[in-house]
Structures are given as structure tokens and as C-alpha cells.
Amino acid sequence: MSPINITTSAAANRAATAAAALGSVSGATAFKVDSPYVRYADGAIESDYMYDTTIVSRDAETGQLKAKPTKVHYQFQTKTSVGRVGLMLVGWGGNNGSTVTAAILANKQGISWETRKGTQEPNYFGSVMMASTVKLGVDENLRDVYVPFNEVVPMAHPNDVVIGGWDINSMNIGEAMRRAQVLPVDLQRRVYDELKVLKPLPSVYYPDFIAANQEERADNVLRGTKQEHLEQLRRDIREFKQTNGLDRVIVMWTANTERYADIIAG
């Protein structure tokens, strides 16, 4: 693994940020660590880290505190093969889920759209992972050295992620995107046809844990006991992983966070 694209200075930092936002090779890293505490093994990066902390105890007789500096040895292993990643969103049809799905589709397919100021090309500006850099250190001239955040360790590129999920409302993701009214109208028009074929899986609906204004939308819910709900969700994840040939699945909460609660005295 040879070092690539290491940049220096503030100007280079901005250049690295722009390059990162345009997308990097999935799983690539921008540097190699030369340290006895880091090992590049077959398929993994292994590292040792000594964490300095202080253990405080109190003398039983005098009550005096005793501080004892201590080192804790941690060992980390990072796989160099990212694999195929799936993302299952809880509340896929909400503002967050439908918008991020549309945005990734636009980036993946290079879909541009018209605005008042002209044609807008898709990018990942605003994404911490895709459009920011990290200071790696300084070079021999004591100038700061920056690398793209998404190349610090092997990471999945958003364009390669397979998206699915659940929602208590049966509306397809295309219509959900329109309902959200977040994205520019022309972008909505250009991605709608591909999003309208995506439909969320039935979800869990417990009124006590969801804002009351969501009740009228709840037409896509699981029936049965809580244990049956749990088994169905597990089954959904397994089937999603198998159907799409995924190595791992990430489940992310994007649903309504409000919970109905009674006001209880005290």
C-alpha cells in the first residue's frame, strides 16, 4: 500500500476537500503508518494503543484520595476490504430517508438539475465523511499535511451502498420525496421514476412511542405480538442482506423522534 495524494498547506487542504467531495476509490487509504505499533496484515490493519488514565481510590482510614496513573492497552483491527454494504432506514419514507435516497441516486448517476442560477451538478459537499479533510501531521518543513477524511481508513462510498428500510406509511419513496418538499423541484422530477418503484417494508407502530399526528399515516404496520414483530424485523434484515448479496447491513434510525408522554406530577 503506497502513499497517494498526500497534500500540504491550507490551499492544498481546500483542494483535498474538493477532491474528497467528488468521491474517492472505495476502500482506498491515502497513507501508510510507519510505526512498530501498526501492522499491515493480510486483509486487515492491526494497531496497539496505550491509553493513559488515572485510577482514583480513597483511603479507608484517612479518607485521602490516591491518584494512580495507569496505562490501558487497546488492540484494534480494521479490515481493509470494505465489502458490499446495505443501509436499512427506520422511517425510510420520512423527510430524512427519502431525501438521502434521492441525493445518493443523483450522485451515483451524475444527475444534474436546473436552478435559478443555472445547472447544478451533484456532489457530496456538506458531508463530513465525503467533503472534509483531517490533519495527518506536519512535513519536514513543519507544514500541515491533510488527507481526505474518507481515506483515513477503508470506507464504503455512499454511491455503492444499497438502501432499503421500513416505514409505517406505505407511500413509495418517490412520492415521499415529493411530500417532504426538501429537494429542488427539478431534481425531484429527474429522480422520481427510479424512486417510485421503491416501497418501504411494513414497520412497527406503537402509538405510545410516536407523535399523535402520525396515526393517520400508519397504513403499513406489522400485526401480531411484540415478539412476532422482532422476528419479522430480523427476517427482513436477513432477506435484505441475502437478496442484495451484502457483506454487512447497517440499520439507522431516521423516523419520528417525538414520543407522546403524560405530564406526571413531580
Side-chain angles (χ1 to χ4, degrees):
M1 187 184 301
S2 58
I4 56 173
N5 296 332
I6 292 182
T7 58
T8 61
S9 79
N13 178 27
R14 291 192 292 270
T17 300
L22 294 176
S24 62
V25 178
S26 180
T29 55
F31 61 93
K32 184 175 182 179
V33 178
D34 182 9
S35 167
Y37 304 108
V38 177
R39 298 169 298 280
Y40 290 85
D42 184 23
I45 303 171
E46 300 172 349
S47 59
D48 293 281
Y49 178 72
M50 300 302 295
Y51 175 68
D52 292 308
T53 186
T54 302
I55 304 299
V56 180
S57 60
R58 185 183 298 275
D59 187 281
E61 297 182 359
T62 66
Q64 186 179 38
L65 294 176
K66 181 172 69 174
K68 181 180 180 180
T70 305
K71 291 184 180 294
V72 181
H73 182 200
Y74 289 99
Q75 293 181 306
F76 297 93
Q77 184 184 75
T78 302
K79 292 182 179 179
T80 54
S81 175
V82 175
R84 188 166 167 80
V85 179
L87 180 63
M88 297 193 76
L89 303 176
V90 181
W92 190 16
N95 292 10
N96 293 330
S98 60
T99 300
V100 75
T101 303
I104 290 177
L105 175 63
N107 275 278
K108 183 176 183 178
Q109 299 190 3
I111 299 173
S112 60
W113 62 98
E114 297 302 318
T115 71
R116 292 179 301 169
K117 297 182 179 180
T119 302
Q120 174 66 54
E121 299 293 336
N123 59 61
Y124 280 110
F125 291 145
S127 165
V128 173
M129 185 188 81
M130 295 300 295
S132 64
T133 58
V134 176
K135 181 180 176 181
L136 186 62
V138 297
D139 65 11
E140 62 275 9
N141 297 313
L142 300 182
R143 294 179 302 180
D144 292 343
V145 178
Y146 297 85
V147 294
F149 188 97
N150 57 26
E151 294 182 11
V152 173
V153 294
M155 296 184 186
H157 195 290
N159 291 355
D160 299 328
V161 173
V162 180
I163 302 179
W166 306 266
D167 201 280
I168 61 173
N169 185 248
S170 61
M171 184 178 289
N172 68 65
I173 302 305
E175 289 297 330
M177 171 193 65
R178 287 179 169 176
R179 177 179 60 190
Q181 299 180 3
V182 173
L183 298 175
V185 174
D186 193 47
L187 175 56
Q188 293 184 39
R189 181 179 62 81
R190 293 172 186 258
V191 298
Y192 175 79
D193 285 344
E194 292 201 48
L195 294 182
K196 71 179 182 181
V197 300
L198 304 177
K199 295 200 65 174
L201 295 166
S203 188
V204 171
Y205 176 63
Y206 301 150
D208 288 347
F209 287 86
I210 298 178
N213 63 2
Q214 299 296 305
E215 183 176 1
E216 61 183 29
R217 295 174 53 181
D219 63 355
N220 191 43
V221 299
L222 293 173
R223 306 298 178 187
T225 65
K226 291 184 178 180
Q227 184 61 38
E228 290 172 332
H229 295 166
L230 176 61
E231 294 304 322
Q232 181 59 53
L233 296 176
R234 288 172 171 171
R235 192 155 46 244
D236 290 342
I237 297 171
R238 288 194 298 265
E239 291 176 356
F240 181 73
K241 183 177 182 180
Q242 181 178 9
T243 300
N244 294 286
L246 305 173
D247 296 293
R248 58 184 59 83
V249 175
I250 300 168
V251 176
M252 181 178 294
W253 179 269
T254 67
N256 193 300
T257 58
E258 299 174 54
R259 175 187 175 183
Y260 173 81
D262 290 325
I263 298 177
I264 301 175

